């Protein structure tokens, strides 16, 4: 895939805290699943982080991302953005991760990978454009982070990102580099 046009600024992606589906190795996608106790603890630990610059918080509308954002950034304004939601795995929702089809395959009644890439590209570029003076911190999902990697870094989805770990996508020399914050 050809690299997409870069967002207007660097941004940070955080996968939500551990969920019941993560713990049970189940495909959740657009299925709304709660955080586990560990997931809530992971999110609360984020609240102790010192950020290098002012931040603007955005979250997926899924409850696991909203709950992580509220616990990680208590008292701060959180903007919801539908483009940050996880991929719809259609008939594979609720099934074991071992049943997950290839990323490039479009699951029956689900979202195609190209459609997800387009949605994530639009969402992140919109958010970055709306946050010229604050680092956008986006609480989202594994699939969104993997899409960002394909769009702007290695061109590969890479390993599943860890829960509740800030990943900075920093613009340097007209490219984005991903690093753990």
């Amino acid at each position: 895939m050809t690299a997409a046009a870069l967002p207007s600024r660097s941004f940070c992606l955080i996968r939500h805290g551990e969920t019941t589906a993560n713990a049970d190795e189940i495909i959740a996608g657009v299925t709304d699943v709660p955080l586990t106790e560990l997931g809530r603890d992971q999110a609360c630990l984020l609240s102790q982080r010192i950020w290098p610059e002012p931040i603007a918080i955005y979250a997926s509308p899924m409850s696991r991302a909203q709950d992580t954002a509220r616990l990680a950034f208590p008292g701060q304004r959180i903007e919801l953005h539908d483009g940050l939601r996880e991929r719809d795995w259609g008939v594979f929702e609720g099934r074991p991760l071992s049943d997950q089809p290839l990323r490039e395959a479009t699951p029956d009644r689900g979202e195609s990978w190209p459609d997800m890439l387009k949605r994530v590209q639009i969402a992140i570029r919109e958010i970055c454009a709306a946050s010229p003076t604050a680092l956008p911190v986006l609480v989202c999902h594994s699939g969104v982070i993997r899409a960002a990697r394909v769009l702007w870094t290695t061109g590969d989805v890479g390993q599943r990102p860890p829960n509740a770990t800030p990943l900075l996508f920093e613009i340097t020399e007209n490219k984005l580099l991903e690093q753990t914050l």
Side-chain angles (χ1 to χ4, degrees):
M1 171 171 193
T2 304
L6 289 175
S8 58
R9 63 161 300 131
S10 301
F11 58 93
C12 179
L13 299 179
I14 302 175
R15 182 182 180 201
H16 55 76
E18 182 190 69
T19 65
T20 54
N22 297 150
D24 295 337
E25 297 185 356
I26 300 295
I27 301 168
V30 296
T31 303
D32 219 2
V33 293
L35 296 175
T36 61
E37 185 175 334
L38 173 61
R40 288 187 296 279
D41 290 346
Q42 291 169 331
C44 286
L45 280 174
L46 286 170
S47 70
Q48 300 169 16
R49 173 173 289 283
I50 304 297
W51 292 88
E53 61 182 291
I55 58 174
I57 313 302
Y58 292 83
S60 158
M62 315 267 333
S63 67
R64 58 194 183 260
Q66 288 187 58
D67 291 346
T68 298
R70 284 188 196 106
L71 291 167
F73 304 100
Q76 293 198 41
R77 183 173 181 218
I78 300 166
E79 293 282 336
L80 301 183
H81 197 296
D82 192 55
L84 298 176
R85 72 185 184 284
E86 183 58 286
R87 183 176 179 184
D88 184 344
W89 286 98
V91 298
F92 292 95
E93 295 274 329
R95 293 178 54 182
L97 276 177
S98 59
D99 291 351
Q100 192 169 25
L102 294 175
R103 190 165 315 283
E104 294 74 23
T106 300
D108 190 27
R109 296 193 301 273
E111 182 179 24
S112 74
W113 180 236
D115 285 349
M116 182 174 181
L117 288 172
K118 183 177 180 181
R119 171 173 54 83
V120 168
Q121 178 183 4
I122 291 168
I124 292 175
R125 292 187 77 219
E126 284 177 358
I127 289 167
C128 288
S131 305
T133 61
L135 176 69
V137 176
L138 290 58
V139 181
C140 56
H141 307 273
S142 176
V144 172
I145 295 168
R146 289 175 153 195
R149 288 173 177 159
V150 168
L151 290 164
W152 296 300
T153 65
T154 63
D156 182 72
V157 296
Q159 296 295 316
R160 177 168 280 130
N163 294 96
T165 300
L167 301 171
L168 179 64
F169 286 74
E170 187 172 25
I171 296 177
T172 59
E173 300 175 12
N174 290 325
K175 63 182 177 179
L176 272 176
L177 297 176
E178 176 189 352
Q179 62 186 351
T180 303
L181 257 182

